[in-house]
Amino acid sequence: MSHANAELITRFYQAFQQLDAETMASCYTEDVRFSDPVFTDLRGREASDMWRMLCTRAKDFSLTFDGVAADEHSGKARWVATYLFSQTGNTVVNHIEASFVFRDGKIAEHRDRFDLWRWARQALGMKGVLLGWAPPVQNAIRKQAAKGLAAYRAGR
């Protein structure tokens, strides 16, 4: 029998498969902390709004997940998102390792790890191949993502 927190992770990714950001957000504590190589430090509603934005904008999206494991305090999963990157029209297949910390039956910390250069090669094409490893390009990716999230949040 799986732990309740493993079921919570499963519910989160099943909702993501359906692009159901509201269910995803309901899995988080109000003060959740989220980080990944692009969105390095989101807190609370900002993290939930990131998922809302991504789900709203998703094109040709599919998601698989496995390796879900959890106990009373922490958990992990692997997931793969396949989607069309709107800025270039390129297809991205992003392999992600997720780790979680739980509090009061919800996700209090969520950290996703993936190879940003690999992502940039797929999303940005030749520019990503040649320069996606470089800190200035990776910082530009982060700034563009933050700008997109800020615009999304302002329009809500």
Side-chain angles (χ1 to χ4, degrees), residues 1-4 7:
M1 188 167 217
S2 66
H3 192 279
E7 293 171 12

Side-chain angles (χ1 to χ4, degrees), residues 51-79:
W51 295 119
R52 288 179 180 102
M53 177 185 75
L54 294 176
C55 287
T56 299
R57 296 179 178 174
K59 301 282 187 246
D60 295 334
F61 177 83
S62 67
L63 181 136
T64 60
F65 67 97
D66 63 17
V68 174
D71 60 24
E72 203 58 35
H73 305 287
S74 62
K76 63 181 181 174
R78 290 181 303 269
W79 58 286

Side-chain angles (χ1 to χ4, degrees), residues 49-123:
D49 284 348
M50 176 204 58
W51 295 119
R52 288 179 180 102
M53 177 185 75
L54 294 176
C55 287
T56 299
R57 296 179 178 174
K59 301 282 187 246
D60 295 334
F61 177 83
S62 67
L63 181 136
T64 60
F65 67 97
D66 63 17
V68 174
D71 60 24
E72 203 58 35
H73 305 287
S74 62
K76 63 181 181 174
R78 290 181 303 269
W79 58 286
V80 179
T82 303
Y83 57 93
L84 198 67
F85 184 61
S86 61
Q87 293 178 11
T88 61
N90 292 340
T91 298
V92 173
V93 181
N94 200 13
H95 295 261
I96 299 123
E97 298 281 335
S99 61
F100 304 91
V101 175
F102 305 104
R103 185 177 71 241
D104 301 327
K106 293 198 172 194
I107 299 166
E109 294 179 29
H110 178 177
R111 181 171 181 182
D112 282 345
R113 293 174 191 82
F114 61 87
D115 182 336
L116 186 54
W117 185 20
R118 184 177 193 274
W119 179 91
R121 291 191 307 262
Q122 295 177 74

